[in-house]
Amino acid sequence: MKIGILGSGTVGQVLADGFLKHGHEVMRGTRDPAKVAAWKEGGGAKAHAGSFAEASKFGEIVVLAVKGTGAEAAIELAGAEALAGKTVIDATNPIADAPPTNGVIAFFTGPNDSLMERLQKRVPAARFVKAFSCVGNPFMVNPDFGGTRPTMFICGNDDDAKKQVAAILESFGWDSEDMGKVESARAIEPLCMLWCIPGMLRNQWTHAFKLLKK
Ligand SMILES: NC(=O)c1ccc[n+]([C@@H]2O[C@H](COP(=O)([O-])OP(=O)(O)OC[C@H]3O[C@@H](n4cnc5c(N)ncnc54)[C@H](OP(=O)(O)O)[C@@H]3O)[C@@H](O)[C@H]2O)c1
């Protein structure tokens, strides 16, 4: 498939490389294409670079991998029309520009709010699915936990979009757990805080969540 990735940061790069590795064609979007020029050079014929608007238009699926505080602005630049009807994988977290407290990072959203709800309200016709937000980027694509597949918690309003994302996660070596509609991002986004605590307190960054069931 054609994947548009909004984000010139590490997450954009890791997911872009993951989609290329799994045979997809990728365009990375940024306000400054010079930031992804080297990646494009090394990425081969299926790697492209453009603006946020070009990448969102290019993608049959769009991935949002931008700084949380810039996510609404990035979606504006991407364009509601280009995103309408498309699955938008939302990897963002609403991390505030404030220092952590005893290892707990600060969010700019409250408990009865989430960044993905704000994005979904801004572009009602896009099919947002939260994914990749609750693990560090080194583990996003085909993580090796000694044969155990970790769990990626996903949510969103559109069942078909969630099935599409679950299939991508399956190919990226993840089990996915559908946690419901867009409001469930209120519970999924803070998993980022939990995931980061061992890193902030003890420099341990090599874990992922697994939902045990019986
Ligand atoms: N790092 C991780 O391991 C990890 C894990 C899970 C989730 N996440 C989440 O994934 C997202 C991306 O993280 P990251 O570490 O790759 O990079 P990042 O530094 O958080 O984000 C870089 C991207 O944000 C865009 N951006 C920043 N401010 C903007 C604004 N005002 N308007 C429009 N775009 C803006 C930048 O645009 P330009 O390209 O134009 O500069 C760039 O593409 C974040 O929301 C983060 O919380 C990160």
Side-chain angles (χ1 to χ4, degrees):
M1 294 189 81
K2 288 185 170 175
I3 312 292
I5 299 199
L6 311 182
S8 62
T10 316
V11 173
Q13 171 138 357
V14 164
L15 292 177
D17 288 343
F19 279 105
L20 286 176
K21 173 182 148 185
H22 286 281
H24 303 280
E25 192 168 354
V26 176
M27 181 184 286
R28 285 178 74 190
T30 164
R31 293 167 299 177
D32 177 9
K35 286 188 182 173
V36 295
W39 169 85
K40 181 184 172 318
E41 282 301 302
K46 288 186 171 181
H48 312 281
S51 63
F52 283 134
E54 286 165 335
S56 63
K57 200 169 169 194
F58 172 88
E60 296 165 86
I61 292 178
V62 176
V63 178
L64 183 64
V66 298
K67 194 167 185 275
T69 51
E72 292 193 71
I75 284 291
E76 282 298 315
L77 292 170
E81 206 176 308
L83 297 174
K86 290 181 184 172
T87 297
V88 182
I89 300 176
D90 174 22
T92 64
N93 282 307
I95 297 174
D97 288 325
T101 305
N102 289 328
V104 180
I105 56 176
F107 271 19
F108 59 76
T109 47
N112 300 315
D113 182 20
S114 65
L115 181 52
M116 196 167 86
E117 285 172 89
R118 296 185 187 186
L119 300 173
Q120 184 69 77
K121 277 191 197 116
R122 203 169 261 269
V123 190
R127 305 188 300 163
F128 283 95
V129 179
K130 198 91 214 170
F132 295 111
S133 61
C134 64
V135 73
N137 68 80
F139 303 101
M140 288 181 176
V141 181
N142 301 109
D144 178 3
F145 286 100
T148 301
R149 289 166 76 92
T151 305
M152 185 60 71
F153 298 100
I154 68 172
C155 70
N157 287 341
D158 189 284
D159 287 341
D160 289 338
K162 285 189 282 192
K163 280 188 196 130
Q164 215 173 17
V165 176
I168 289 164
L169 285 164
E170 164 86 22
S171 71
F172 281 21
W174 286 84
D175 287 343
S176 58
E177 197 67 33
D178 179 355
M179 288 304 198
K181 305 284 188 193
V182 66
E183 292 78 11
S184 300
R186 297 175 196 179
I188 295 177
E189 288 172 0
L191 291 177
C192 152
M193 287 186 195
L194 190 63
W195 189 88
C196 287
I197 288 172
M200 296 283 182
L201 295 181
R202 299 184 290 277
N203 202 26
Q204 292 168 354
W205 301 98
T206 53
H207 44 271
F209 295 117
K210 175 79 184 167
L211 188 67
L212 299 178
K213 294 189 245 182
K214 57 186 269 185

